[in-house]
């Protein structure tokens, strides 16, 4: 993927994850992009631990893997802030 697609993909994943975790009002577009990209890395790592493939491109499976990682990332951050 090109850098522009990573930014768009990260922004979309981060935004959906923030809606799921109810942190959308606290985050801006930049934080959504960062969470989406880091979430893709975390999700890919988790999937590789269980023997599955990680992020392969801009498709539904990659979106769900990145979303899983982003939700886990937001959950960890929320737990550490308490």
């Amino acid at each position: 993927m090109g850098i522009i697609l990573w930014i768009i993909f990260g922004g979309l994943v981060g935004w959906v994850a923030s809606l799921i975790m109810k942190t959308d009002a606290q985050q801006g577009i930049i934080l959504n992009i960062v969470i989406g990209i880091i979430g893709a890395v975390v999700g890919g790592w988790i999937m590789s631990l269980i023997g599955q493939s990680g992020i392969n491109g801009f498709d539904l499976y990659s979106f769900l893997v990145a979303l899983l990682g982003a939700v886990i990332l937001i959950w960890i951050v929320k737990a550490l802030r308490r």
Side-chain angles (χ1 to χ4, degrees):
M1 273 197 224
I3 188 76
I4 300 299
L5 274 179
W6 271 107
I7 291 171
I8 293 169
F9 187 76
L12 187 61
V13 167
W15 176 64
V16 172
S18 69
L19 289 175
I20 291 171
M21 297 298 291
K22 298 180 183 6
T23 60
D24 190 42
Q26 303 163 1
Q27 295 177 196
I29 185 74
I30 301 298
L31 193 55
N32 281 340
I33 292 170
V34 170
I35 286 179
I37 293 173
I38 294 173
V41 172
V42 170
W45 178 72
I46 290 170
M47 294 306 281
S48 70
L49 286 178
I50 61 173
Q52 300 294 320
S53 63
I55 306 297
N56 296 325
F58 196 66
D59 57 7
L60 182 61
Y61 176 76
S62 297
F63 181 82
L64 293 175
V65 169
L67 184 61
L68 170 72
V71 167
I72 290 171
L73 181 65
I74 292 172
W75 180 78
I76 290 170
V77 169
K78 284 176 74 172
L80 290 175
R81 284 189 176 172
R82 292 181 197 204

